Short mmCIF file of all heavy atoms in Angstrom, two decimals:
data_model
loop_
_atom_site.label_atom_id
_atom_site.label_comp_id
_atom_site.label_asym_id
_atom_site.label_seq_id
_atom_site.Cartn_x
_atom_site.Cartn_y
_atom_site.Cartn_z
N PHE B 1517 -130.49 157.46 89.33
CA PHE B 1517 -131.99 157.43 89.49
C PHE B 1517 -132.59 156.70 88.28
O PHE B 1517 -133.23 157.32 87.37
CB PHE B 1517 -132.47 158.83 89.51
CG PHE B 1517 -132.02 159.62 90.69
CD1 PHE B 1517 -131.32 160.75 90.56
CD2 PHE B 1517 -132.42 159.28 92.05
CE1 PHE B 1517 -130.86 161.51 91.62
CE2 PHE B 1517 -131.99 160.02 93.13
CZ PHE B 1517 -131.23 161.13 92.90
N PRO B 1518 -132.39 155.38 88.19
CA PRO B 1518 -132.85 154.66 86.96
C PRO B 1518 -134.38 154.74 86.76
O PRO B 1518 -134.84 154.56 85.62
CB PRO B 1518 -132.37 153.23 87.17
CG PRO B 1518 -132.10 153.10 88.66
CD PRO B 1518 -131.71 154.42 89.10
N ARG B 1519 -135.06 155.03 87.85
CA ARG B 1519 -136.51 155.07 87.70
C ARG B 1519 -137.06 156.48 87.57
O ARG B 1519 -138.25 156.72 87.55
CB ARG B 1519 -137.20 154.47 88.92
CG ARG B 1519 -137.07 152.90 88.94
CD ARG B 1519 -137.76 152.31 90.19
NE ARG B 1519 -137.76 150.83 90.06
CZ ARG B 1519 -136.70 150.14 90.43
NH1 ARG B 1519 -135.66 150.71 91.01
NH2 ARG B 1519 -136.70 148.79 90.23
N ASN B 1520 -136.14 157.51 87.56
CA ASN B 1520 -136.58 158.87 87.45
C ASN B 1520 -135.74 159.63 86.44
O ASN B 1520 -135.27 160.78 86.75
CB ASN B 1520 -136.36 159.53 88.90
CG ASN B 1520 -137.27 158.90 89.92
OD1 ASN B 1520 -138.46 159.30 90.04
ND2 ASN B 1520 -136.77 157.92 90.57
N PHE B 1521 -135.56 159.07 85.33
CA PHE B 1521 -134.66 159.68 84.33
C PHE B 1521 -135.50 160.75 83.50
O PHE B 1521 -136.29 160.31 82.63
CB PHE B 1521 -134.09 158.55 83.46
CG PHE B 1521 -133.08 159.07 82.44
CD1 PHE B 1521 -131.98 159.77 82.84
CD2 PHE B 1521 -133.30 158.83 81.08
CE1 PHE B 1521 -131.10 160.31 81.91
CE2 PHE B 1521 -132.36 159.24 80.14
CZ PHE B 1521 -131.21 160.05 80.52
N LEU B 1522 -135.19 161.97 83.75
CA LEU B 1522 -135.82 163.06 83.02
C LEU B 1522 -134.80 164.22 82.88
O LEU B 1522 -134.89 165.15 83.69
CB LEU B 1522 -137.13 163.51 83.74
CG LEU B 1522 -138.04 164.39 83.04
CD1 LEU B 1522 -139.48 164.32 83.55
CD2 LEU B 1522 -137.61 165.84 82.86
N PRO B 1523 -133.85 164.07 81.95
CA PRO B 1523 -132.80 165.12 81.84
C PRO B 1523 -133.19 166.37 81.06
O PRO B 1523 -134.26 166.28 80.31
CB PRO B 1523 -131.71 164.37 81.05
CG PRO B 1523 -132.39 163.45 80.26
CD PRO B 1523 -133.65 163.03 81.00
N VAL B 1524 -132.42 167.44 81.26
CA VAL B 1524 -132.70 168.61 80.48
C VAL B 1524 -131.84 168.48 79.22
O VAL B 1524 -130.63 168.06 79.30
CB VAL B 1524 -132.36 169.95 81.32
CG1 VAL B 1524 -130.89 169.92 81.79
CG2 VAL B 1524 -132.69 171.19 80.56
N ILE B 1525 -132.39 168.65 78.03
CA ILE B 1525 -131.67 168.18 76.84
C ILE B 1525 -131.24 169.34 75.95
O ILE B 1525 -130.84 169.09 74.77
CB ILE B 1525 -132.48 167.16 76.01
CG1 ILE B 1525 -133.81 167.79 75.54
CG2 ILE B 1525 -132.72 165.86 76.79
CD1 ILE B 1525 -134.52 166.96 74.47
N ASP B 1526 -131.22 170.58 76.44
CA ASP B 1526 -130.85 171.72 75.57
C ASP B 1526 -129.61 172.46 76.06
O ASP B 1526 -129.41 173.60 75.76
CB ASP B 1526 -132.00 172.70 75.41
CG ASP B 1526 -132.25 173.37 76.74
OD1 ASP B 1526 -132.08 172.74 77.82
OD2 ASP B 1526 -132.62 174.57 76.74
N SER B 1527 -128.70 171.67 76.73
CA SER B 1527 -127.44 172.33 77.25
C SER B 1527 -126.57 172.73 76.00
O SER B 1527 -125.77 173.68 76.13
CB SER B 1527 -126.64 171.52 78.22
OG SER B 1527 -127.52 171.16 79.31
N TYR B 1528 -126.60 171.94 74.97
CA TYR B 1528 -125.80 172.22 73.81
C TYR B 1528 -126.67 172.44 72.59
O TYR B 1528 -126.97 173.57 72.17
CB TYR B 1528 -124.72 171.19 73.58
CG TYR B 1528 -123.80 171.01 74.79
CD1 TYR B 1528 -124.02 169.87 75.64
CD2 TYR B 1528 -122.91 171.96 75.10
CE1 TYR B 1528 -123.17 169.73 76.78
CE2 TYR B 1528 -122.07 171.85 76.30
CZ TYR B 1528 -122.28 170.68 77.11
OH TYR B 1528 -121.45 170.60 78.24
N SER B 1529 -127.21 171.35 72.08
CA SER B 1529 -128.15 171.46 70.99
C SER B 1529 -129.10 170.32 71.05
O SER B 1529 -128.75 169.08 71.30
CB SER B 1529 -127.35 171.36 69.58
OG SER B 1529 -128.23 170.92 68.61
N VAL B 1530 -130.42 170.60 71.09
CA VAL B 1530 -131.43 169.54 71.21
C VAL B 1530 -131.27 168.52 70.09
O VAL B 1530 -131.10 167.33 70.33
CB VAL B 1530 -132.79 170.12 71.28
CG1 VAL B 1530 -133.85 168.99 71.33
CG2 VAL B 1530 -133.00 170.96 72.52
N ALA B 1531 -131.32 169.02 68.86
CA ALA B 1531 -131.46 168.03 67.76
C ALA B 1531 -130.12 167.26 67.60
O ALA B 1531 -130.28 166.05 67.41
CB ALA B 1531 -131.77 168.81 66.47
N SER B 1532 -128.98 167.85 67.69
CA SER B 1532 -127.76 167.18 67.34
C SER B 1532 -127.11 166.51 68.53
O SER B 1532 -126.18 165.75 68.40
CB SER B 1532 -126.80 168.04 66.58
OG SER B 1532 -126.46 169.12 67.46
N SER B 1533 -127.55 166.80 69.71
CA SER B 1533 -126.80 166.23 70.89
C SER B 1533 -127.79 165.76 71.98
O SER B 1533 -127.84 164.53 72.31
CB SER B 1533 -125.92 167.26 71.48
OG SER B 1533 -125.13 166.77 72.50
N GLY B 1534 -128.59 166.66 72.61
CA GLY B 1534 -129.43 166.21 73.73
C GLY B 1534 -130.36 165.15 73.43
O GLY B 1534 -130.47 164.19 74.21
N LEU B 1535 -131.03 165.27 72.29
CA LEU B 1535 -132.09 164.26 71.91
C LEU B 1535 -131.47 162.87 71.67
O LEU B 1535 -131.99 161.91 72.29
CB LEU B 1535 -132.84 164.81 70.77
CG LEU B 1535 -133.98 163.85 70.20
CD1 LEU B 1535 -134.99 163.62 71.28
CD2 LEU B 1535 -134.71 164.51 69.02
N VAL B 1536 -130.43 162.80 70.92
CA VAL B 1536 -129.85 161.46 70.64
C VAL B 1536 -129.23 160.87 71.87
O VAL B 1536 -129.36 159.67 72.13
CB VAL B 1536 -128.90 161.56 69.46
CG1 VAL B 1536 -129.66 161.84 68.13
CG2 VAL B 1536 -127.79 162.59 69.63
N ASN B 1537 -128.56 161.71 72.68
CA ASN B 1537 -127.98 161.22 73.94
C ASN B 1537 -129.07 160.67 74.90
O ASN B 1537 -128.98 159.69 75.49
CB ASN B 1537 -127.19 162.31 74.65
CG ASN B 1537 -125.81 162.50 74.07
OD1 ASN B 1537 -125.18 161.52 73.58
ND2 ASN B 1537 -125.31 163.73 74.12
N PHE B 1538 -130.23 161.40 74.86
CA PHE B 1538 -131.32 160.98 75.76
C PHE B 1538 -131.87 159.58 75.32
O PHE B 1538 -131.99 158.65 76.09
CB PHE B 1538 -132.49 161.97 75.79
CG PHE B 1538 -133.67 161.40 76.35
CD1 PHE B 1538 -133.83 161.25 77.81
CD2 PHE B 1538 -134.73 160.83 75.62
CE1 PHE B 1538 -134.92 160.70 78.38
CE2 PHE B 1538 -135.83 160.23 76.16
CZ PHE B 1538 -135.98 160.16 77.57
N CYS B 1539 -132.03 159.52 73.97
CA CYS B 1539 -132.69 158.33 73.42
C CYS B 1539 -131.76 157.06 73.66
O CYS B 1539 -132.11 156.00 74.00
CB CYS B 1539 -132.93 158.44 71.88
SG CYS B 1539 -134.28 159.53 71.56
N ALA B 1540 -130.41 157.31 73.55
CA ALA B 1540 -129.43 156.31 73.71
C ALA B 1540 -129.52 155.80 75.19
O ALA B 1540 -129.62 154.55 75.45
CB ALA B 1540 -128.01 156.75 73.48
N VAL B 1541 -129.56 156.66 76.14
CA VAL B 1541 -129.55 156.28 77.50
C VAL B 1541 -130.98 155.70 77.90
O VAL B 1541 -131.02 154.65 78.58
CB VAL B 1541 -129.24 157.48 78.48
CG1 VAL B 1541 -129.30 157.03 79.93
CG2 VAL B 1541 -127.84 157.95 78.17
N ALA B 1542 -132.00 156.23 77.37
CA ALA B 1542 -133.36 155.79 77.70
C ALA B 1542 -133.57 154.35 77.17
O ALA B 1542 -134.19 153.57 77.74
CB ALA B 1542 -134.36 156.76 77.16
N LEU B 1543 -133.03 154.16 75.92
CA LEU B 1543 -133.19 152.89 75.32
C LEU B 1543 -132.41 151.79 76.05
O LEU B 1543 -132.92 150.67 76.31
CB LEU B 1543 -132.73 152.89 73.88
CG LEU B 1543 -133.69 153.54 72.91
CD1 LEU B 1543 -133.06 153.95 71.60
CD2 LEU B 1543 -134.94 152.66 72.58
N SER B 1544 -131.25 152.21 76.63
CA SER B 1544 -130.44 151.31 77.51
C SER B 1544 -131.29 150.99 78.79
O SER B 1544 -131.37 149.84 79.22
CB SER B 1544 -129.12 151.98 77.89
OG SER B 1544 -128.46 152.39 76.74
N LEU B 1545 -131.87 152.02 79.35
CA LEU B 1545 -132.68 151.78 80.58
C LEU B 1545 -133.86 150.85 80.30
O LEU B 1545 -134.16 149.92 81.04
CB LEU B 1545 -133.23 153.11 81.09
CG LEU B 1545 -132.29 153.97 81.84
CD1 LEU B 1545 -132.94 155.32 82.18
CD2 LEU B 1545 -131.75 153.37 83.12
N CYS B 1546 -134.49 151.07 79.12
CA CYS B 1546 -135.60 150.22 78.82
C CYS B 1546 -135.20 148.83 78.58
O CYS B 1546 -135.93 147.88 79.09
CB CYS B 1546 -136.31 150.71 77.48
SG CYS B 1546 -137.22 152.22 77.57
N GLY B 1547 -133.98 148.56 78.08
CA GLY B 1547 -133.50 147.27 77.91
C GLY B 1547 -133.30 146.55 79.29
O GLY B 1547 -133.29 145.31 79.32
N LEU B 1548 -133.07 147.40 80.30
CA LEU B 1548 -132.89 146.76 81.67
C LEU B 1548 -134.23 146.89 82.37
O LEU B 1548 -134.19 146.76 83.65
CB LEU B 1548 -131.83 147.56 82.40
CG LEU B 1548 -130.40 147.54 81.76
CD1 LEU B 1548 -129.44 148.34 82.57
CD2 LEU B 1548 -129.87 146.07 81.55
N GLN B 1549 -135.28 147.00 81.68
CA GLN B 1549 -136.66 147.07 82.35
C GLN B 1549 -137.01 148.29 83.11
O GLN B 1549 -137.88 148.22 83.98
CB GLN B 1549 -136.90 145.76 83.11
CG GLN B 1549 -136.52 144.39 82.45
CD GLN B 1549 -137.26 144.32 81.09
OE1 GLN B 1549 -138.39 144.63 80.98
NE2 GLN B 1549 -136.56 143.71 80.10
N TYR B 1550 -136.24 149.32 82.91
CA TYR B 1550 -136.59 150.62 83.65
C TYR B 1550 -137.44 151.41 82.71
O TYR B 1550 -137.22 151.37 81.47
CB TYR B 1550 -135.37 151.43 84.04
CG TYR B 1550 -134.50 150.66 85.10
CD1 TYR B 1550 -133.33 150.04 84.77
CD2 TYR B 1550 -134.94 150.74 86.47
CE1 TYR B 1550 -132.61 149.46 85.77
CE2 TYR B 1550 -134.17 150.15 87.42
CZ TYR B 1550 -133.01 149.55 87.12
OH TYR B 1550 -132.29 148.87 88.05
N GLN B 1551 -138.29 152.25 83.21
CA GLN B 1551 -139.12 153.13 82.43
C GLN B 1551 -138.64 154.54 82.56
O GLN B 1551 -138.87 155.28 83.60
CB GLN B 1551 -140.59 153.06 82.94
CG GLN B 1551 -141.53 154.20 82.46
CD GLN B 1551 -141.88 154.02 80.97
OE1 GLN B 1551 -142.47 152.93 80.53
NE2 GLN B 1551 -141.60 154.96 80.10
N PRO B 1552 -137.93 155.12 81.50
CA PRO B 1552 -137.55 156.50 81.59
C PRO B 1552 -138.79 157.40 81.61
O PRO B 1552 -139.78 157.05 81.09
CB PRO B 1552 -136.73 156.69 80.33
CG PRO B 1552 -137.10 155.61 79.42
CD PRO B 1552 -137.52 154.39 80.31
N LEU B 1553 -138.60 158.63 82.17
CA LEU B 1553 -139.82 159.48 82.37
C LEU B 1553 -140.01 160.42 81.12
O LEU B 1553 -141.10 160.63 80.69
CB LEU B 1553 -139.69 160.30 83.65
CG LEU B 1553 -139.62 159.55 85.00
CD1 LEU B 1553 -139.56 160.51 86.07
CD2 LEU B 1553 -140.79 158.59 85.10
N GLY B 1554 -138.86 161.04 80.67
CA GLY B 1554 -139.00 162.00 79.63
C GLY B 1554 -137.92 163.02 79.63
O GLY B 1554 -136.82 162.72 80.11
#
Side-chain angles (χ1 to χ4, degrees):
Chain B
F1517 299 116
R1519 289 181 175 83
N1520 295 274
F1521 184 55
L1522 195 157
V1524 60
I1525 62 168
D1526 66 327
S1527 299
Y1528 304 106
S1529 159
V1530 172
S1532 62
S1533 184
L1535 179 58
V1536 291
N1537 280 330
F1538 169 80
C1539 290
V1541 178
L1543 285 163
S1544 308
L1545 283 175
C1546 289
L1548 300 178
Q1549 310 305 321
Y1550 293 101
Q1551 165 73 59
L1553 299 183

